[in-house]
């Protein structure tokens, strides 16, 4: 089962967090947008307070768990927003049950599956994190997630992200890595996504750079793209004012 937070009232915005974080990464969005919308933020399997999956946390299994949560809450239709790994889950939710998805927000993510090299790297990370723990992984991962502006100017944000990763269970990190390695390519799904779509990307995102977001937007039938200044891969945390502005405008236009 998944732990979650449900705040506010109005149309539901479901926000799916990045790897290897948890639902609290959406705090700046929940605080600002819950005056007009109902925000549902689950901890994905193994992260935060949610139970671990048995074995790899495949995107199929994670999306099924999120659909089960929607059924439990009797929510029939949502705008799905996913950042990075959350975006991979959002593609899978769309494939499993497109009627649930009223609109889609794809932030700092990509449609492509992993290369063989990326898969091998994920298997190595899964092995390593089980041996050396989450704190060492947090040191390695934080500078990749945050943009150069945050790394240079926002020590409190650097510490917050590092702590969030250090708190993740090594088994959750390993399971998500192995699950993401198995994810299918979602490129062919893009042209079938005919609901309104918002693509967001941090201008300093080194993991899923703006060029990746632009290519994705071109293949989506009804997508707008916005580049978030002074932000890296965690654009919602690094520049919440700008990120929220685009979210609100998109949600109002639905
Ligand atoms: C994330 O932020 O969720 C990760 O960068 C996703 C990934 O490892 O592909």
């Amino acid at each position: 089962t998944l732990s979650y937070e449900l705040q506010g009232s109005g149309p539901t915005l479901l926000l799916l967090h990045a790897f290897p974080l948890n639902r609290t990464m959406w705090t700046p969005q929940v605080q600002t947008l819950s005056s007009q919308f109902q925000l549902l933020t689950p901890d994905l399997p193994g992260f935060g307070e949610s139970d671990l999956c048995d074995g790899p946390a495949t995107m199929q299994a994670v999306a099924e768990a999120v659909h089960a949560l929607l059924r439990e809450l009797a929510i029939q239709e949502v705008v799905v927003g996913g950042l990075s790994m959350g975006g991979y889950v959002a593609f899978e939710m769309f494939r499993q049950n497109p009627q649930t998805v009223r609109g889609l927000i794809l932030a700092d993510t990509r449609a492509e599956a992993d290369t063989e090299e990326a898969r091998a790297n994920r298997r190595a990370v899964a092995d390593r994190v089980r041996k050396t723990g989450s704190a060492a992984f947090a040191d390695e991962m934080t500078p990749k997630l945050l943009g150069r502006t945050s790394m240079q100017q926002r020590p409190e944000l650097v510490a917050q992200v590092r702590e969030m990763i250090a708190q993740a269970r090594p088994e959750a990190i390993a399971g998500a890595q192995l699950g993401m390695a198995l994810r299918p390519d979602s490129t062919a799904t893009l042209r079938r996504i005919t609901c309104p779509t918002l693509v967001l990307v941090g201008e300093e995102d080194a993991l899923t750079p703006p060029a990746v977001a632009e290519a994705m937007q071109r293949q989506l039938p009804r997508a707008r793209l916005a580049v978030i200044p002074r932000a890296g891969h965690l654009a919602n945390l690094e520049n919440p004012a700008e990120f929220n502005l685009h979210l609100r405008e998109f949600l109002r236009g639905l």
Side-chain angles (χ1 to χ4, degrees):
T1 56
L2 299 184
S3 65
Y4 63 91
E5 190 183 340
L6 189 61
Q7 287 278 347
S9 59
T12 305
L13 172 61
L14 165 71
L15 292 175
L16 304 170
H17 67 76
F19 165 88
L21 305 179
N22 60 58
R23 69 175 193 254
T24 65
M25 75 164 244
W26 296 115
T27 302
Q29 283 65 50
V30 173
Q31 280 173 349
T32 308
L33 297 167
S34 58
S35 57
Q36 286 164 296
F37 305 97
Q38 171 166 263
L39 270 86
L40 174 59
T41 51
D43 280 326
L44 297 178
F47 294 100
E49 296 161 51
S50 283
D51 296 334
L52 277 165
C53 273
D54 287 335
T58 61
M59 299 306 104
Q60 288 95 323
V62 176
E64 278 165 19
V66 179
H67 276 305
L69 174 64
L70 293 179
R71 281 196 299 277
E72 185 189 313
L73 296 170
I75 297 173
Q76 265 121 35
E77 198 182 66
V78 288
V79 175
V80 183
L83 193 142
S84 199
M85 178 177 76
Y88 309 157
V89 177
F91 287 130
E92 196 56 46
M93 284 187 71
F94 175 85
R95 281 193 290 270
Q96 288 179 7
N97 196 350
Q99 303 93 291
T100 321
V101 185
R102 166 83 185 83
L104 196 58
I105 299 155
L106 297 167
D108 301 283
T109 193
R110 65 170 75 243
E112 292 79 25
D114 282 350
T115 60
E116 232 358 278
E117 188 188 345
R119 283 193 190 110
N121 185 51
R122 290 197 197 275
R123 287 192 289 270
V125 168
D127 283 345
R128 194 164 71 239
V129 80
R130 286 185 179 118
K131 291 188 194 108
T132 56
S134 302
F137 187 60
D139 291 337
E140 173 186 332
M141 196 69 191
T142 305
K144 294 183 184 161
L145 292 174
L146 293 172
R148 60 177 179 278
T149 304
S150 302
M151 287 304 293
Q152 283 165 10
Q153 299 175 12
R154 307 272 311 273
E156 76 302 336
L157 181 62
V158 175
Q160 183 196 342
V161 168
R162 198 200 159 279
E163 186 52 30
M164 223 188 285
I165 301 172
Q167 279 171 10
R169 285 173 272 185
E171 269 312 312
I173 294 174
Q177 282 288 18
L178 299 175
M180 286 191 284
L182 293 170
R183 78 186 188 283
D185 193 290
S186 293
T187 311
T189 305
L190 295 177
R191 75 177 85 94
R192 291 172 36 215
I193 302 179
T194 53
C195 62
T197 308
L198 175 64
V199 180
L200 295 174
V201 64
E203 73 173 331
E204 302 172 4
D205 185 341
L207 297 180
T208 48
V212 168
E214 282 158 23
M216 196 161 60
Q217 184 230 353
R218 281 197 294 273
Q219 297 174 75
L220 285 156
R222 291 176 68 190
R224 276 200 304 114
L225 168 73
V227 179
I228 310 294
R230 297 178 305 283
H233 192 59
L234 301 181
N236 74 304
L237 276 173
E238 296 181 68
N239 191 344
E242 192 83 14
F243 194 93
N244 292 350
L245 201 78
H246 291 289
L247 241 55
R248 182 177 280 124
E249 190 183 293
F250 176 72
L251 292 165
R252 280 198 186 137
L254 288 176

